[in-house]
């Protein structure tokens, strides 16, 4: 049963954010302001999945305790399986893959996925469009290498590997939906700067076609892709608001809302609760 609407609006909605970044180091190494984790918690944030290089992840987890769920971003074209094992051995709950020089499904990456699958950990894939800020003359990048169809190749080949598709394969939304629905080991989120700015009607149709809630929403996760430890604060509100409006629009029950907002994250990243 859903709670009355007024209660949902006024009370903080508890969530685990499956995708955040840390602030960039200030020029000249200036000290940053202390992030107000207690105030984030008071506003509903139980924990965040921090996606940064290994050392930064480990340091943040040490500093902030269980509020930070570390997921190391690796250079998948250079890394060997021992890098995966090193990251997990230092406390990471998953590995982030992004900006490959070949499609995600390419055989060259299979030993990495194999190592992650054997460890029972989670692969977070950047999916779809990638800002040109990542481009270099020698490696301009290809969104086609990162589309959901490539994640599908990985999901079939490694059916015991838990996968989270960040950004829902923007702009291949329909492809992303098909891959998450058809592979029991694939979850997806609406993080990033595009998904929440598309029509709410489009997402309502995706997860409740013709008005009936579809089982695929069981594997949706909550995520933002914003900077968490920033002088400006942690701007998650518009994401919580978007997910809430989607839930309201399709009439999602409270148990399913809670799975999207935090239950799936707990399973994917091994968080007690
Ligand atoms: Zn990101």
């Amino acid at each position: 049963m859903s709670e009355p609407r007024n209660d949902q609006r006024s009370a903080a909605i508890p969530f685990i954010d499956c995708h955040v970044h840390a602030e960039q180091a200030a020029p000249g190494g200036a000290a940053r302001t202390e992030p107000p984790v207690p105030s984030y918690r008071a506003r509903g944030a139980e924990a965040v999945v921090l996606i940064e290089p290994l050392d930064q992840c480990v340091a943040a987890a040490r500093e902030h305790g269980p509020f930070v769920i570390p997921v190391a971003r690796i250079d998948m074209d250079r890394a060997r399986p021992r890098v995966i094992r090193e990251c997990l051995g230092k406390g990471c709950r998953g590995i982030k893959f992004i900006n490959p020089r070949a499609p995600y499904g390419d055989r060259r990456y299979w030993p990495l996925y194999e190592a992650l699958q054997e460890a029972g950990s989670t692969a977070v894939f950047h999916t779809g469009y990638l800002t040109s800020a990542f481009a270099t003359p020698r490696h301009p990048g290809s969104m086609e290498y990162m589309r959901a169809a490539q994640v599908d190749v990985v999901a079939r080949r490694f059916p015991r590997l838990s996968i989270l598709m960040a950004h829902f394969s923007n702009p291949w939304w329909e492809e992303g939906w098909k891959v998450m629905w058809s592979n029991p080991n694939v979850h997806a989120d609406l993080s990033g700067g595009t998904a929440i700015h598309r029509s709410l009607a489009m997402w309502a149709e995706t997860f409740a076609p013709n008005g009936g809630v579809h089982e695929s929403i069981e594997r949706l996760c909550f995520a933002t892709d914003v900077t968490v430890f920033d002088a400006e604060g942690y701007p998650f509100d518009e994401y919580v608001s978007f997910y809430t409006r989607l839930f309201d629009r399709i009439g999602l029950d409270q148990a399913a809302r809670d799975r999207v907002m935090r239950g799936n994250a707990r399973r994917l990243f091994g968080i007690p609760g």
Side-chain angles (χ1 to χ4, degrees):
M1 285 284 288
S2 296
E3 292 167 18
R5 279 176 167 229
N6 286 344
D7 288 353
Q8 283 174 9
R9 294 229 168 89
S10 55
I13 295 167
F15 66 86
I16 296 172
D17 188 337
C18 287
H19 193 131
V20 299
H21 296 283
E23 66 171 349
Q24 300 304 308
R32 59 180 168 74
T33 46
E34 206 46 41
V37 168
S39 81
Y40 297 167
R41 283 209 168 103
R43 290 163 59 209
E46 293 183 348
V48 295
V49 174
L50 180 68
I51 295 172
E52 291 297 348
L54 176 61
D55 289 350
Q56 209 173 339
C57 278
V58 169
R62 194 178 300 132
E63 187 176 353
H64 304 293
F67 183 74
V68 166
I69 303 160
V71 168
R73 182 174 64 232
I74 64 168
D75 180 344
M76 62 191 297
D77 284 289
R78 294 208 172 129
R80 297 287 175 267
R82 65 174 168 72
V83 172
I84 303 263
R85 289 189 284 270
E86 181 193 358
C87 292
L88 300 180
K90 289 187 173 177
C92 289
R93 302 296 183 89
I95 297 293
K96 168 75 180 297
F97 298 104
I98 187 170
N99 205 17
R101 287 172 190 260
Y104 281 146
D106 192 276
R107 305 180 80 93
R108 72 185 73 181
Y109 304 124
W110 292 1
L112 301 177
Y113 306 144
E114 177 77 38
L116 208 47
Q117 178 175 259
E118 286 315 304
S121 195
T122 293
V124 179
F125 285 96
H126 172 100
T127 55
Y129 184 79
L130 180 64
T131 165
S132 56
F134 281 77
T136 65
R138 294 186 62 192
H139 183 33
S142 165
M143 62 195 275
E144 186 125 36
Y145 291 174
M146 296 179 274
R147 61 190 290 177
Q150 287 300 324
V151 175
D152 186 65
V153 175
V154 180
R156 288 164 188 252
R157 177 71 52 177
F158 301 95
R160 291 182 293 108
L161 175 63
S162 294
I163 293 172
L164 175 56
M165 292 196 299
H167 326 308
F168 219 93
S169 195
N170 168 31
W172 292 288
W173 313 116
E174 187 69 16
E175 183 175 301
W177 174 79
K178 181 61 187 168
V179 171
M180 84 181 282
W181 174 34
S182 301
N183 294 285
N185 54 333
V186 176
H187 289 65
D189 68 52
L190 302 177
S191 69
T194 304
I196 69 164
H197 296 294
R198 298 311 308 272
S199 155
L200 195 61
M202 180 185 88
W203 291 114
E205 269 307 296
T206 299
F207 290 112
N210 302 313
V213 174
H214 189 270
E215 61 184 11
S216 52
I217 201 161
E218 293 284 326
R219 288 202 295 279
L220 184 67
C221 294
F222 176 75
T224 64
D225 197 18
V226 301
T227 302
V228 64
F229 300 138
D230 190 276
E232 308 296 315
Y234 169 24
F236 61 77
D237 295 300
E238 69 173 324
Y239 290 85
V240 171
S241 164
F242 183 81
Y243 275 74
T244 303
R245 281 183 284 124
L246 173 61
F247 299 158
D248 288 347
R249 182 149 174 162
I250 66 176
L252 195 64
D253 67 40
Q254 192 57 46
R257 290 174 189 233
D258 197 59
R259 275 195 289 280
V260 173
M261 296 304 286
R262 55 183 178 170
N264 289 337
R266 284 196 186 122
R267 278 192 297 105
L268 283 173
F269 300 105
I271 307 160

